[in-house]
């Protein structure tokens, strides 16, 4: 226990790819064209020839897809267009098509006016930091188009969704049947809208799909994991056994039990880990992040399951899993990585693994979830509007040390910049909910004052 300040230094790439408001640098046509060329040039230099592109349902996806395709073609790389596809589906199909890379156009859980780029290696894992740095360097170079005869071509893959559906179904025991389950599935008008309901339906469940009519601007709007009220009400109304909520690109998931209570990523990890242990399929322990609740750590230790923390983001999770030779990791946000099946966080795979635990154990989701007691936690965010904030500032460090003393070794403080938005995130966790809120508010107010002073100077 203690406090941590986390820093990031990339120019374009954040925690999870490149992301921002459409029409503002770097999410502009000219930048995306240059990015496509840079990725293509990197692939060609490594003797590659083929890239897969998928996207979520944002209206800007058409524009960005075209710019990426043009950039890749100018470098001499062929493009396979998947259309709407969840991030983990793109990762899987990159491997299945033996492509040299996969690119997903998505801003995940962000509103429709944002968009972004996630890049996957040929093995289905996200590219590493060294690759991102090399792309940032190449973007600074002028575009050099290959000769006319070597320009890349584009091909539309018509059965991409069906391929990923079958992959998801194959991730659970072949005899598993969901025929006794009624499930509400919230697709957030995102990339899972034509995939997730069919996965659970074809496995036998009575599926009630909601938010499956994307129009380009309604993605994540009043739905998905960040807005669970709709699916909570639907689960109660339909007297469903559980609800499953996906974000815009399907790489994170939230579960709802039959009483309408939320099961977050930490609790989902606990459910899956318990099931794997019961089935003798758990190897090693579980990796969480610096944001994981202390209750998860204690709950797993009570099951004799080791637990370790990694940096935020599934890239850091996967690095830690590989380092420890473990299989299961995740974040409170609902990014769950299960390496025997997927190479990145996969909402559908995680939900299926949790449901498999329910069926195997004969318990209800509500009962399993309640075996883990969460510590009170307060999360706040300060918008710095692009101003550079020195989190190592002596005033901030002194304040945090003072606040840490109040926790008396029975809690944590974490401050980090968001990798996807112009925010500084503050997390305080401890046994006393009143003290936790008080400390979080004090730290947030102090950082907000620094932000306000910077804004006055730049005005």
């Amino acid at each position: 226990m203690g406090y941590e300040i986390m820093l990031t230094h990339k120019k374009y790439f954040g925690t999870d790819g490149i992301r921002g408001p459409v029409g503002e640098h770097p999410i502009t046509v000219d930048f995306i064209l240059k990015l496509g060329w840079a990725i293509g040039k990197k692939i060609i230099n490594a003797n590659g020839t083929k890239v897969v592109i998928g996207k979520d349902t944002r209206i800007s996806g058409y524009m960005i897809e075209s710019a990426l395709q043009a950039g890749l073609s100018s470098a001499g790389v062929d493009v396979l267009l998947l259309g709407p596809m969840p991030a983990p589906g793109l990762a899987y199909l990159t491997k299945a098509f033996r492509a040299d890379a996969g690119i997903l156009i998505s801003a995940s859980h962000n509103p429709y006016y944002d968009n972004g780029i996630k890049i996957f290696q040929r093995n289905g894992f996200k590219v590493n930091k060294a690759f991102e740095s090399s792309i940032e360097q190449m973007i600074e170079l002028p575009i050099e188009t290959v000769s006319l005869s070597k320009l890349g071509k584009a091909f539309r893959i018509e059965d991409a969704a069906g391929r990923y559906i079958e992959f998801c179904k194959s991730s659970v025991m072949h005899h598993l049947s969901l025929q006794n389950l009624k499930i509400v599935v919230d697709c957030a008008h995102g990339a899972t809208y034509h995939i997730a309901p069919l996965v659970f339906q074809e496995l036998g469940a009575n599926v009630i799909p909601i938010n499956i009519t994307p129009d380009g601007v309604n993605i994540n709007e009043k739905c998905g994991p960040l807005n669970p009220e709709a699916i909570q009400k639907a689960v109660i109304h339909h007297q469903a056994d559980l609800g499953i909520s996906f974000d815009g690109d399907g790489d994170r998931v939230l579960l709802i039990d039959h009483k309408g209570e939320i099961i977050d990523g930490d609790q989902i990890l606990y459910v899956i880990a318990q099931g794997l242990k019961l089935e003798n399929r758990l190897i090693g322990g579980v990796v969480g992040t610096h944001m994981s609740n202390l209750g998860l750590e204690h709950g797993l230790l009570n099951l004799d399951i080791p637990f370790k923390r990694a940096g935020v983001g599934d890239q850091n999770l996967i690095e830690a899993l590989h380092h420890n030779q473990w299989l299961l990791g995740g974040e409170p946000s609902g990014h769950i990585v299960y390496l025997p099946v997927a190479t990145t966080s996969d909402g559908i795979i995680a939900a299926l693994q949790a449901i498999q635990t329910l069926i195997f154990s004969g318990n209800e989701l509500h009962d399993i979830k309640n075996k883990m007691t969460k510590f009170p936690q307060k999360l706040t965010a300060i918008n710095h509007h692009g101003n550079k904030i020195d989190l190592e500032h002596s005033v901030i460090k002194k304040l945090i040390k003072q606040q840490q003393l109040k926790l008396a070794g029975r809690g944590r403080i974490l401050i980090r910049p968001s990798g996807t938005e112009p925010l500084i995130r503050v997390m305080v966790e401890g046994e006393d909910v009143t003290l936790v809120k008080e400390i979080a508010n004090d730290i947030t107010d102090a950082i907000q004052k620094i932000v306000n002073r910077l804004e006055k100077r730049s005005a």
Side-chain angles (χ1 to χ4, degrees):
M1 298 189 187
Y3 78 86
E4 296 176 79
I5 296 176
M6 305 180 68
L7 307 172
T8 57
H9 303 286
K10 285 276 176 61
K11 186 175 182 180
Y12 301 118
F13 286 89
T15 304
D16 196 11
I18 300 173
R19 191 179 302 184
V22 176
E24 297 181 18
H25 189 75
I27 310 300
T28 59
V29 171
D30 55 342
F31 180 86
I32 298 297
L33 175 69
K34 192 72 172 290
L35 177 65
W37 172 81
I39 295 170
K41 187 73 173 174
K42 176 87 173 172
I43 288 167
I44 287 291
N45 288 345
N47 298 317
T49 60
K50 183 169 57 178
V51 169
V52 174
I53 296 180
K55 59 185 179 180
D56 65 22
T57 55
R58 292 161 216 267
I59 192 168
S60 58
Y62 295 100
M63 176 184 76
I64 294 173
E65 181 183 61
S66 297
L68 266 180
Q69 180 183 326
L72 288 161
S73 176
S74 72
V77 174
D78 289 341
V79 176
L80 304 183
L81 300 170
L82 305 180
M85 179 58 56
L90 182 281
Y92 163 69
L93 290 171
T94 298
K95 286 197 307 177
F97 282 111
R98 307 296 193 270
D100 300 291
I103 304 174
L104 183 77
I105 303 164
S106 175
S108 192
H109 59 277
N110 288 31
Y112 83 95
Y113 47 76
D114 289 344
N115 217 329
I117 299 292
K118 299 180 183 182
I119 310 172
F120 294 81
Q121 306 173 63
R122 65 178 63 189
N123 61 6
F125 290 98
K126 287 180 181 173
V127 295
N128 56 32
K129 294 176 178 62
F131 184 96
E132 292 176 345
S133 296
S134 69
I135 292 298
E136 289 194 349
Q137 293 171 12
M138 200 164 288
I139 286 172
E140 305 303 322
L141 302 175
I143 290 179
E144 297 177 354
T145 305
V146 297
S147 63
L148 195 61
S149 62
K150 293 183 179 179
L151 288 173
K153 302 174 183 178
F155 306 88
R156 178 76 56 184
I157 306 300
E158 301 295 345
D159 63 344
R163 288 171 180 252
Y164 180 54
I165 288 170
E166 290 305 312
F167 165 72
C168 290
K169 288 161 56 181
S170 70
S171 70
V172 292
M173 299 176 185
H174 71 277
H175 59 274
L176 186 76
S177 173
L178 312 186
Q179 63 180 357
N180 294 322
L181 292 178
K182 182 188 288 188
I183 304 173
V184 177
V185 177
D186 176 6
C187 296
H189 301 300
T192 63
Y193 80 97
H194 59 319
I195 291 174
L198 289 174
V199 170
F200 299 100
Q201 181 179 309
E202 291 180 16
L203 287 171
N206 176 5
V207 175
I208 301 155
I210 61 174
N211 301 313
I212 56 168
T213 54
D215 61 10
V217 300
N218 61 0
I219 187 171
N220 299 316
E221 184 180 4
K222 296 180 180 179
C223 54
L226 294 185
N227 304 282
E229 296 82 9
I231 189 170
Q232 288 176 287
K233 291 177 181 177
V235 168
I236 297 297
H237 175 73
H238 292 284
Q239 296 183 317
D241 296 290
L242 71 151
I244 306 171
S245 181
F246 302 103
D247 69 340
D249 70 341
D251 67 351
R252 66 193 283 184
V253 64
L254 190 78
L255 299 183
I256 308 294
D257 68 21
H258 72 283
K259 294 188 175 184
E261 296 179 6
I262 294 170
I263 288 83
D264 67 11
D266 283 343
Q267 294 165 312
I268 294 171
L269 262 184
Y270 179 80
V271 170
I272 295 174
Q274 188 175 29
L276 293 175
K277 188 174 178 67
L278 283 171
E279 299 166 32
N280 294 315
R281 292 193 293 126
L282 182 67
I283 296 176
V286 172
V287 173
T289 73
H290 299 296
M291 301 299 290
S292 298
N293 195 281
L294 281 169
L296 171 62
E297 183 173 350
H298 291 187
L300 291 173
L301 291 177
N302 288 336
L303 296 173
D304 294 323
I305 298 175
F307 177 79
K308 293 186 178 182
R309 296 181 186 270
V312 174
D314 60 0
Q315 282 180 303
N316 293 316
L317 278 173
I318 289 169
E319 285 178 10
L321 288 170
H322 284 156
H323 177 75
N324 291 285
Q325 296 184 318
W326 293 356
L327 305 177
L328 179 65
E331 302 182 90
S333 60
H335 291 107
I336 308 294
V337 179
Y338 184 49
L339 287 182
V341 178
T343 55
T344 187
S345 52
D346 190 320
I348 295 176
I349 298 298
L352 286 171
Q353 289 297 319
I355 290 172
Q356 190 163 265
T357 296
L358 304 183
I359 293 173
F360 187 86
S361 67
N363 295 320
E364 291 186 333
L365 184 59
H366 180 82
D367 297 329
I368 297 179
K369 176 257 296 184
N370 281 342
K371 292 179 181 178
M372 175 190 136
T373 302
K374 293 180 66 175
F375 277 54
Q377 192 179 79
K378 174 74 173 177
L379 302 173
T380 61
I382 305 104
N383 193 325
H384 56 71
H385 304 289
N387 292 298
K388 291 185 178 180
I389 309 299
D390 181 12
L391 295 180
E392 293 281 352
H393 193 286
S394 59
V395 173
I396 296 177
K397 294 184 75 173
K398 183 178 179 181
L399 172 64
I400 295 171
K401 287 182 179 179
Q402 291 172 344
Q403 300 295 335
Q404 188 64 47
L405 289 174
K406 294 180 182 179
L407 290 171
R410 294 189 295 275
R412 299 187 302 133
I413 297 173
L414 175 68
I415 302 176
R416 70 178 184 90
S418 169
T420 58
E421 299 171 271
L423 301 174
I424 294 171
R425 301 193 186 278
V426 176
M427 187 277 287
V428 180
E429 186 176 59
E431 296 176 341
D432 185 332
V433 63
T434 302
L435 181 60
V436 164
K437 290 179 179 179
E438 176 188 304
I439 292 173
N441 290 337
D442 287 348
I443 294 173
T444 301
D445 289 344
I447 297 176
Q448 185 65 63
K449 287 177 181 177
I450 294 174
V451 170
N452 293 343
R453 285 200 296 269
L454 287 173
E455 289 181 347
K456 285 181 180 179
R457 289 176 190 170
S458 60

